[in-house]
């Protein structure tokens, strides 16, 4: 899954994880798992096997997903880490046959969600761990600076990779239709129970693993707010709103 932060990826992953054949774990941050070859001997060994460092890292990432999928007893695995939007090229290189779901949400609402999160559990965790990073999330200008590269990554990935675009607003307004489209895209039978994600244990909801809001804990898909008027969109977000189809060009 390719999406920016606060775009509804935790909701969608819970909905997908409720399917009997889909394993959708918490955020995995796989590209942050890196391999280091400390000796000349290790480098010579990798060269003899025809592997470079990136390919060895790909083996590690793939093994992590395989371990989770095997433990789940399911058929398909989905990774929803928002940072994937910044590393989609590596993901496509690692898994050239992957099926990509592009989850988008109105950038103004994404920004609003970032600012709201900064006042809650996420903000408290960031303040305790990093201090100044809490200020970056809670400041509109700084939050936009953090958000724009991810939104740009989603736009670039959509242009370069085949896949299915899912709009958060449509998912929350018509979950049956949207989840049917997703299942069709993944080659799986639709299960109406997906829309009742609260009946299934999806693992921990905590900071750095996904959304931890009351809306997620409700176990219900709740309608999104109405889209903002075009003149209320912050100037720095207008271009990405146009690219994502939320504003006319």
């Amino acid at each position: 899954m390719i999406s920016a932060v606060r775009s509804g990826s935790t909701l969608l992953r819970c909905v997908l994880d409720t399917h009997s054949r889909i394993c959708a774990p918490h955020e995995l941050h796989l590209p942050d798992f890196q391999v280091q070859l400390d000796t000349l001997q290790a480098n010579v060994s990798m060269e003899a096997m025809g592997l470079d460092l990136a390919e060895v890292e790909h083996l590690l990432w793939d093994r992590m997903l395989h371990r989770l999928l095997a433990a789940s007893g399911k058929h398909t695995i989905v990774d929803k880490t928002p940072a994937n939007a910044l590393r989609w090229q590596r993901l496509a290189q690692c898994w050239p046959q992957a099926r990509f779901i592009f989850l988008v949400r109105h950038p103004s609402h994404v920004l609003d969600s970032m600012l709201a999160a900064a006042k809650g559990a996420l903000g408290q965790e960031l303040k305790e761990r990093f201090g100044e990073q809490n200020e970056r999330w809670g400041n509109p200008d700084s939050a936009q600076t953090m958000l724009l590269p991810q939104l740009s990554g989603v736009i670039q990935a959509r242009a370069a990779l085949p896949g299915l675009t899912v709009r958060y607003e449509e998912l929350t307004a018509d979950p049956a239709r949207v989840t049917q489209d997703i299942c069709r895209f993944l080659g799986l039978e639709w299960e109406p129970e997906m829309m009742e994600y609260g009946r299934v244990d999806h693992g921990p909801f905590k900071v750095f693993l996904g959304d931890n809001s009351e809306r997620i804990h409700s176990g219900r898909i709740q309608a999104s707010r109405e889209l903002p008027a075009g003149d209320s969109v912050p100037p720095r977000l207008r271009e990405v709103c146009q690219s994502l189809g939320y504003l006319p060009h």
Side-chain angles (χ1 to χ4, degrees), residues 223-240:
S224 176
R225 293 175 291 158
E226 291 186 5
L227 294 180
D231 57 4
S232 70
V233 174
R236 295 176 68 190
L237 298 183
R238 288 185 177 277
E239 184 175 349
V240 292

Side-chain angles (χ1 to χ4, degrees), residues 3-140:
S3 73
V5 294
R6 315 303 298 184
S7 295
S9 59
T10 299
L11 172 63
L12 182 53
R13 85 96 175 165
C14 289
V15 170
L16 296 178
D17 193 52
T18 305
H19 193 288
S20 64
R21 303 194 70 192
I22 301 176
C23 172
H26 58 72
E27 294 176 13
L28 300 177
H29 305 283
L30 290 175
D32 293 334
F33 292 37
Q34 299 178 353
V35 172
Q36 180 174 315
L37 303 180
D38 288 333
T39 65
L40 173 62
Q41 294 92 323
N43 281 277
V44 171
S45 176
M46 292 301 101
E47 290 173 4
M49 288 188 281
L51 298 172
D52 60 25
L53 192 60
E55 291 170 318
V56 178
E57 289 177 346
H58 293 168
L59 289 173
L60 171 62
W61 302 350
D62 193 68
R63 176 57 184 148
M64 293 291 291
L65 290 187
H66 180 269
R67 182 178 185 273
L68 288 168
L69 186 60
S72 74
K74 295 186 176 184
H75 173 273
T76 300
I77 192 163
V78 177
D79 177 21
K80 57 85 67 184
T81 308
N84 289 345
L86 301 174
R87 297 149 174 172
W88 60 267
Q89 296 97 330
R90 282 290 302 272
L91 300 183
Q93 181 185 4
C94 181
W95 295 290
Q97 296 181 327
R99 300 183 185 186
F100 290 94
I101 296 173
F102 308 107
L103 176 63
V104 299
R105 183 184 186 185
H106 196 293
S108 288
H109 284 175
V110 174
L111 176 62
D112 290 344
S113 184
M114 291 179 68
L115 299 177
K119 299 177 182 179
L122 174 62
Q124 184 61 35
E125 184 76 15
L126 290 172
K127 185 175 182 180
E128 292 177 357
R129 289 177 178 265
F130 305 110
E132 74 284 353
Q133 191 164 349
N134 179 46
E135 298 302 321
R136 292 172 59 198
W137 270 74
N139 178 279

Side-chain angles (χ1 to χ4, degrees), residues 151-238:
L151 293 173
S152 297
V154 174
I155 292 167
Q156 293 165 13
R158 287 179 71 206
L161 302 173
L164 176 70
T165 296
V166 173
R167 294 188 181 275
Y168 173 79
E169 295 83 6
E170 295 178 357
L171 172 65
T172 57
D174 193 354
R177 178 185 62 80
V178 173
T179 52
Q180 288 174 26
D181 290 344
I182 294 173
C183 288
R184 190 178 303 113
F185 173 70
L186 296 176
L188 300 172
E189 292 291 327
W190 180 62
E191 296 178 358
E193 296 81 7
M194 297 170 67
M195 294 180 291
E196 302 174 5
Y197 72 87
R199 67 185 182 86
V200 174
D201 180 7
H202 300 290
F205 293 102
K206 59 189 301 183
V207 174
F208 305 129
L209 299 184
D211 188 13
N212 189 31
S213 68
E214 293 182 4
R215 290 172 67 92
I216 286 295
H217 284 282
S218 74
R220 297 181 296 106
I221 301 176
Q222 301 180 40
S224 176
R225 293 175 291 158
E226 291 186 5
L227 294 180
D231 57 4
S232 70
V233 174
R236 295 176 68 190
L237 298 183
R238 288 185 177 277

